[in-house]
Amino acid sequence: MSTIDLAGPTASELRAVAEQSNAWPFEQAKAIVARLKKQPKDEVLFETGYGPSGLPHIGTFGEVARTTMVRHAFRVLTEDKIKTRLLAFSDDMDGLRKVPDNVPNKELLEKNLGKPLTRVPDPFGTHESFGAHNNARLRAFLDQFGFDYEFASSTDYYTSGRFDAALLRMLERIDKVMAIMLPSLREERAASYSPFLPICPRTGMVLYVPITAHDAKAGTVSYDDPETREPVTLPVTGGHCKLQWKPDWAMRWYALSVDYEMAGKDLIDSVKLSGKICAALGGIQPEGFNYELFLDEKGQKISKSKGNGLTIEEWLRYAPPESLSLFMYREPKAAKRLYFDVIPRNVDDYYQFLEAFPKQDGRQKLGNPVWHFHAGQPPKADMPVTFQLLLTLVSSSNAENAETLWGFIGRYRPGVTPQTHPKLDAMVGYAINYYRDFVAPTKQFREPTDGERAALQDLRDALSNLPAASTPEDIQNVVYEIGRREPFLDTNKKGKDGRPGVSLDWFNMLYQVLLGQEKGPRFGSFVAVYGIGNAVNMIDGALARSA
């Protein structure tokens, strides 16, 4: 996802077009360019964060995917003359606070609550620690999508001494850090707060204890052991301590000189506080923005612990990964429902964007979502059947096997086979899965009114008189003509002949009565694929059910 294809326009020509683009990845990248004018650097570091107390989820994908889009836009704006890196940082030194619901051997984790994730035994039994297991899952997760990134472990950075200089700077400027943090805390917590969390040498736990002394010259902190009450002094370096997460975030920005990191809207205040601490250390807060959170079908915030909304695995059971990339590209600062019913639209919209791309001028191409998540090299569009049409075919025929669907497709598009169109073959599988899991369990046929029965009978007779090889347009014209009656007339619309138009209620009725679903694809296209004879039989069945 990191290659820039400069074939065609030169790098400077592409940059000139990009500088005029208002696509959000370019807007973000322009902010980084402006930053470099004030603080020149030979390398720009993009960062994403991951809390490995649980398995990677759809939000992890979204953050890495969106950051990758910004990184690519920056490379275009700078003609790829400045080195860039994307660091996927795992906060695996955090203490395990609770046992996740979706793991085996919960009692093993229960015994190790409070320890850094890289010191907690792996309940799956495959890695040296729970943190290592989840880190491996993260890397496999990101590799699956071909992201260009470097993995970083908080434990490795702390224990190797990579953060030592920044930790000592934090200790030297502890008063400034405390002045920033204390006003944000409740009185009870503020009374015992310190940015430094000792790692207990006796138990290995991350301790949230009052710090009795800070010694900047010695580079140590002191506390009383919460169980033995013995005084303990530890260096803040070498992995003997870690930082509370907001100071930790700021320290990382300072230590690594991070230039760009986005975060969820729920972290707006945290970003501000961490930015102030970063400045207090002598660093510069990264560029970035706060993206909106995902909502479930009820409009509630997606939560890993609640399990509401869709997982990445679920999305990929029903649709190709490109459709998820499109979902992530769209309006990142607007709250969006992340539920199964958004999938068909994003699948079909993806292929529509692909179809439009070759016909667009340079500026339009850079505003096309597919340019961004295909790193400027979108593939050729070749999807002869829409996902919505496939879903309707499955629903109408109760076809739960690919062979049946390919029978319809082969008649509608001669020469199109699973071998010639492997992506369409995959789409057939997605449609079957989607139908089984979401459509079939809720399928309900609406009873037609007397007026709708009369219209359906007329449609049945009109379709019966059409040649079997009628085009989708011919069929659509017949469907449209039969629907030109009350209560389906739409006087606000006009047909090509100047007569009143037909409202969507007519087409919605066809899907509700004939197929037991609320909406569907263009009805003429559906009948052309399904077969006029099959469509007539379907209408006969609906009329018989409601007799």
Side-chain angles (χ1 to χ4, degrees), residues 69-83:
M69 295 174 200
V70 176
R71 179 187 180 190
H72 177 251
F74 173 82
R75 294 178 62 190
V76 170
L77 287 174
T78 57
E79 298 182 29
D80 216 12
K81 294 177 180 177
I82 298 177
K83 183 180 178 182

Side-chain angles (χ1 to χ4, degrees), residues 9-25:
T10 65
S12 60
E13 289 170 341
L14 188 59
R15 186 204 70 226
V17 177
E19 287 173 343
Q20 303 303 312
S21 175
N22 59 4
W24 71 261

Side-chain angles (χ1 to χ4, degrees), residues 324-344:
L324 181 55
S325 295
L326 174 60
F327 180 80
M328 292 300 175
Y329 175 87
R330 284 174 151 161
E331 301 176 325
K333 293 188 178 182
K336 293 185 290 187
R337 291 172 66 256
L338 179 57
Y339 201 56
F340 76 91
D341 55 1
V342 307
I343 291 177

Side-chain angles (χ1 to χ4, degrees), residues 130-152:
F130 188 39
H133 177 274
N134 288 336
N135 286 340
R137 290 288 296 267
L138 172 66
R139 291 195 295 270
F141 176 84
L142 298 179
D143 292 343
Q144 175 184 0
F145 296 99
F147 290 117
D148 176 29
Y149 70 98
E150 298 172 31
F151 174 78

Side-chain angles (χ1 to χ4, degrees), residues 94-106:
D94 288 352
L96 178 65
R97 295 191 176 188
K98 65 179 182 178
V99 178
D101 294 331
N102 56 348
V103 298
N105 301 319
K106 291 183 175 62

